[in-house]
Amino acid sequence: MILFDIKDGVGKITLNRPEKFHSIIRELALEFQNSLDKCINDGNVRAVLITAKGKAFCAGQDLEEATKKDGPPIDAIIDHTYNPITKAITNINKPVVCCVNGVAAGAGANLAIACDITFAAKSSKFIQSFINIALVPDTGGSYFLPRLIGKQKAAGLMFSGDKISAEDAEKIGMIYQCVEDDNAYETAFNFANKLSKMPTKSIGLIKDLLRKTYNNNLDQQLELEKQHQVIAANSIDNKEGITAFFEKRKPNYKGE
């Protein structure tokens, strides 16, 4: 249900349940979490790319699993499925790029915007579909979406369940870039590959700054920047970057 491989420093996680539009069940979630753990622990992975096979990205929770009489309650599904995945994507000290290749609905939409940088094929749609079955957003949607596009637009999409195109998602800042369908995966992979050759430790520190800026005041954020700058300045990659600058050559970063 999940395809995982490492190519040129990029850990590729591909949802592979196309007959169900990659709707999420427990087995898929566990494989997803296992793949993220591999990305976290494998030093050969310097960037992560999340995408899906076929014409859809992710339809969210598989309702057949969620409505089984002997199935897990909704809070258990969230605790064991969506929260661990969302936290892993957010907390991994490596860049996480997403390529949305079709409809991203419910938890699928929020999974996409939880990633650091999200590309979407032009034909893709994003849907906060929870309201359509009288539920509320999960998978970090109520955290990430208003921070990306503001309370008013987030509320409008969450209250209505309206679809938003990839082009409009880019315009309002929900995603990084809308790409022509034929080039979406290649564009996202090339970007992830570019990031895999960057100073990974510095990217991890930047991710931490971005995570904490939501709750810090200016003085706290300035102090955190100083602390992280000290760590970055003592990294092997910083020394390599400075040496390469003076030698007028391209730096060879190791992610250390």
Side-chain angles (χ1 to χ4, degrees):
M1 293 186 179
I2 292 288
L3 302 177
F4 177 76
D5 67 297
I6 301 171
K7 180 181 179 182
D8 296 333
V10 179
K12 297 193 300 176
I13 300 173
T14 305
L15 306 182
N16 188 33
R17 199 181 180 225
E19 72 282 1
K20 295 289 187 178
F21 303 108
H22 313 291
S23 58
I24 298 174
I25 58 175
R26 179 71 170 140
E27 183 181 355
L28 186 150
L30 290 174
E31 291 182 16
F32 199 152
Q33 292 169 39
N34 184 55
S35 296
L36 286 168
D37 287 341
K38 290 178 182 176
C39 292
I40 291 168
N41 296 315
D42 192 332
N44 293 315
V45 175
R46 302 267 299 279
V48 181
L49 175 63
I50 298 172
T51 190
K53 292 185 74 69
K55 297 181 179 180
F57 175 70
C58 179
Q61 173 64 36
D62 186 309
L63 293 181
E64 290 184 7
E65 179 186 70
T67 56
K68 284 182 180 178
K69 289 184 179 180
D70 58 347
I74 190 66
D75 56 339
I77 291 175
I78 292 172
D79 278 340
H80 297 151
T81 299
Y82 299 106
N83 288 356
I85 290 173
T86 304
K87 289 177 182 178
I89 289 171
T90 305
N91 293 326
I92 182 175
N93 288 324
K94 300 174 183 180
V96 180
V97 177
C98 182
C99 177
V100 175
N101 56 308
V103 172
N110 291 336
L111 171 65
I113 64 172
C115 296
D116 298 311
I117 298 166
T118 302
F119 294 85
K122 193 172 184 178
S123 63
S124 299
K125 306 289 184 186
F126 295 84
I127 314 169
Q128 289 292 321
S129 55
F130 303 92
I131 196 65
N132 294 331
I133 53 172
L135 292 178
V136 303
D138 56 32
T139 319
S142 64
Y143 181 86
F144 294 110
L145 194 59
R147 285 168 167 81
L148 289 170
I149 66 175
K151 177 189 170 184
Q152 288 280 328
K153 289 191 180 297
L157 292 174
M158 290 176 173
F159 290 0
S160 69
D162 287 345
K163 294 178 182 178
I164 182 170
S165 69
E167 288 182 289
D168 287 340
E170 179 187 341
K171 288 176 184 177
I172 65 174
M174 184 188 298
I175 63 170
Y176 179 64
Q177 191 173 331
C178 170
V179 187
E180 294 294 333
D181 286 19
D182 292 344
N183 300 324
Y185 174 79
E186 182 180 7
T187 301
F189 177 81
N190 288 342
F191 195 87
N193 183 237
K194 174 184 176 180
L195 295 182
S196 75
K197 294 175 172 58
M198 302 290 281
T200 313
K201 178 175 283 189
S202 295
I203 289 177
L205 292 169
I206 292 169
K207 283 190 68 166
D208 192 58
L209 288 171
L210 293 173
R211 282 193 297 265
K212 293 175 180 174
T213 190
Y214 297 130
N215 298 315
N216 283 349
N217 61 35
L218 177 59
D219 287 342
Q220 291 170 324
Q221 194 70 9
L222 289 171
E223 178 62 26
L224 188 63
E225 287 178 350
K226 180 183 73 174
Q227 294 171 7
H228 283 9
Q229 197 71 290
V230 170
I231 296 171
N234 284 287
S235 68
I236 294 172
D237 280 344
N238 173 253
K239 294 176 177 60
E240 165 63 11
I242 292 174
T243 301
F245 174 81
F246 285 115
E247 294 180 352
K248 295 181 171 57
R249 61 173 174 83
K250 187 176 180 179
N252 181 23
Y253 293 122
K254 301 295 185 183
E256 301 173 351

